[in-house]
Amino acid sequence: MTYEIESDRLIIFIPYVEPRKVLWYGRTPTAAQALQRYDADEVRYAGDMPAFFREYFSSSPSASSSSPFRLYSSSAYSRARLLALRAEHVPSFVRDHIDDIVVDTQSLRPAMDRARVIKTPYEIAQIRRANDVSSAAHREVARALRGLRNEQQVEAVFRAGCTARGAHAQAYPIIAGAGENASTLHYGANDQPLAGKELLVLDAGCEWSCYASDVTRTLPVAGRFSPEGRAVHDLVARMQDECVAAVRPGGSFYLLHLHAARVAVEGLL
């Protein structure tokens, strides 16, 4: 993807699949179909990128700002300026013209981070959908848990619940740890029996259209908590409920963190 700041032009470069490969890999959108689907000004094939940049480099740095191949320029720069997230993202055919362009790998990430803080209604809808699917899959695990025998079955039930609802990708590797395995924050073996274990931690969330969910729940393996397990579970639920209630525009994430810690300390004491 390239975005030309001065002309406000966004171009997406998509893969081209040869007709003879369709049998193996299936059809992919054409450039015209992708242009209808995505919010872009132009769609080209990835193989066109070298020609795009050659034409860009052939334009004089002092050319008119209306040049369609200028990514960014200003009086502060005698050469054209290309912003990239990382140096390795700069294509080799661009690096071959490094004398013709200023490559800036410092400015784009902070700007993108600031832009991503505010979600559009479309993005919020995708996040809600991811959360809805993950929540339903968590409920399926809870209903099935007493009949399961192994952590891997827990993972299978959750993954199946997501896939059946159209979410084929997980936002991160599923964590299904029972007993002391739940004490490992990023436990990933998911292959131990549930017998003799009191609690199961299921940390799992799907992706929906590349938007992630992240849900963690603790469940009693035998269908009910011990008095100690119930006490800790209720304390964590209180931490969550009070912090959710305190979320508001302009609020401080750090203050929410301190409040959760305060509730935990008081409850454990």
Side-chain angles (χ1 to χ4, degrees), residues 125-138:
Q126 305 313 301
I127 295 169
R128 287 189 187 280
R129 180 58 179 163
N131 282 326
D132 287 344
V133 171
S134 293
S135 297
H138 272 274

Side-chain angles (χ1 to χ4, degrees), residues 57-110:
F57 287 124
S58 68
S59 64
S60 169
S62 59
S64 166
S65 62
S66 63
S67 168
F69 299 100
R70 177 174 301 285
L71 299 189
Y72 180 83
S73 68
S74 73
S75 58
Y77 293 89
S78 59
R79 295 177 290 166
R81 184 180 178 211
L82 173 68
L83 295 94
L85 283 174
R86 300 190 181 115
E88 59 266 29
H89 291 171
V90 180
S92 59
F93 49 81
V94 173
R95 292 194 291 267
D96 293 341
H97 294 79
I98 203 67
D99 292 336
D100 303 324
I101 190 169
V102 174
V103 176
D104 180 348
T105 58
Q106 303 299 315
S107 302
L108 187 56
R109 181 174 294 279

